[in-house]
Amino acid sequence: MSNHPLILVLNCGSSSLKGAVLDVVNGKVLLSCVAEKLGFADAFITFKADGDKHKVALGGDHSHTVAVEALMAELKVHHLHHKIAAVGHRVVHGGERFTHSTLIDDQVMRDIETCIVLAPLHNPAHILGIRAAQAVFADLPHVAVFDTAFHQTMPEQAYRYAVPTELYTQYGVRRYGMHGTSYRFVAQETARFLGRAETELALVIAHLGNGASITAVLNGQSRDTSMGLTPLEGLVMGTRSGDIDPSIFSFLQENANLDMAEITAMLNHKSGLLGLSDLSNDCRTLEEAAANGHKGALLALEVFAYRLAKYVAAMTVANGRLDALVFTGGIGENSTFVREKVLSHLAVLGLSIDHDANLAACFGRAGIISQPGKTPLALVIPTNEELMIAQDTAQLAGLSI
Ligand code: AMP
């Protein structure tokens, strides 16, 4: 095993904690874990290392701290604990305060707290996780890496909603965007793959997972993105509707006897691919069903691809030109079907598809999938948010790599 310093990357939800120990030099994950049902009596944590997977019940108060203590015990078993040099924390919302990743101190914790209003489900869980990790890894530097930070370069014309100004100045109602860590990684990787400087590229990157968004990245900076104040805006997603007429809220209140909370839950959890297909939020399941004649599944995939293609055009406007459209995320990296459908709408921008190259660029393989010699390029570049968090953490912790 190498002697490179290792980074522990943590991503905490309200009842879950995901962890990974990475070697930032070669990107290898040496140990990973997922704790589930935190706060409940049947909380447990699953560890994966050296090809072995096992589950441990979490006793005590079943808290995030108990999970981090169990992780520390497992690290000791693998003789990894003394090699961990810093801890990187994924934080969903950094508001306008955080434009970059940052070392965590008391002021940073207070600022993450002030962003709770913008991410009421996520930020409190991150704070719990950071406190738990600070208690167990007390001597190590801790770094926060924000999903929103990359999008803070958006110009005002892209991030403001056309609503009364005081909604912005008093309540922070504006577009923030998400998946920023993924976009930063994929923009860098795309430049590396093409052998070009990030600062000379106009990219449109589509991060298509169960949550999905698309971003215009010009010269390495976000110029516009499809998610807004919350992750509900923009593309069709696994269970989220993406863009809708906001009057649907009052319409459903009056006609379907639903309240705000019920409508919000419906748009977040029962819509998107799931709502349209009446079958599943999972792209692979829908592709199989569509191939077997399921009309709802086919419609869901068509709406998904059409909305996405329209957004590619919009993001091209934000950049002013287009060198490459990049697909990433579970769907972007694997669904030849979706990529083909999206690109079939985009001949108007000069985009094309090479069918063999499309089939080859799957399951973690990067590749150019547009026709040889044609521009703009279409590419597949696998994302790796954990590695990006680990790299930021190593850099801010001052580790020489
Ligand atoms: P993520 O949230 O990035 O893990 O992406 C999850 C989505 O990727 C789900 O909709 C999966 O169905 C989709 N996905 C993963 N593998 C494939 C595949 N081979 N073909 C089509 N979709 C896939």
Side-chain angles (χ1 to χ4, degrees), residues 145 217 242 267 287 292 301 381:
V145 179
V217 182
L267 295 175
E287 285 182 28
N292 289 322
L301 293 167
I381 299 285

Side-chain angles (χ1 to χ4, degrees), residues 29 43 64 69 95 99-100 108 151 157 172 183 203 206 222 232 298 304 312 318 356 378 384 400:
V29 177
H64 287 72
E69 283 165 353
T99 57
H100 293 91
V108 167
H151 298 299
Q157 65 177 7
Y183 288 122
L203 305 175
S222 173
L232 187 55
L298 184 61
F304 181 91
V312 173
D356 292 338
N384 191 339
S400 53

Side-chain angles (χ1 to χ4, degrees), residues 19-31:
V21 176
L22 278 92
D23 179 330
V24 255
V25 178
N26 57 26
K28 277 200 181 135
V29 177
L30 301 172
L31 182 145

Side-chain angles (χ1 to χ4, degrees), residues 207-211 281-285 287 329-331 334-335 363:
H207 176 110
L208 310 175
N210 198 33
N281 64 314
D282 188 280
C283 180
R284 211 171 348 184
T285 306
E287 285 182 28
I331 297 173
N334 297 301
S335 175
F363 310 118

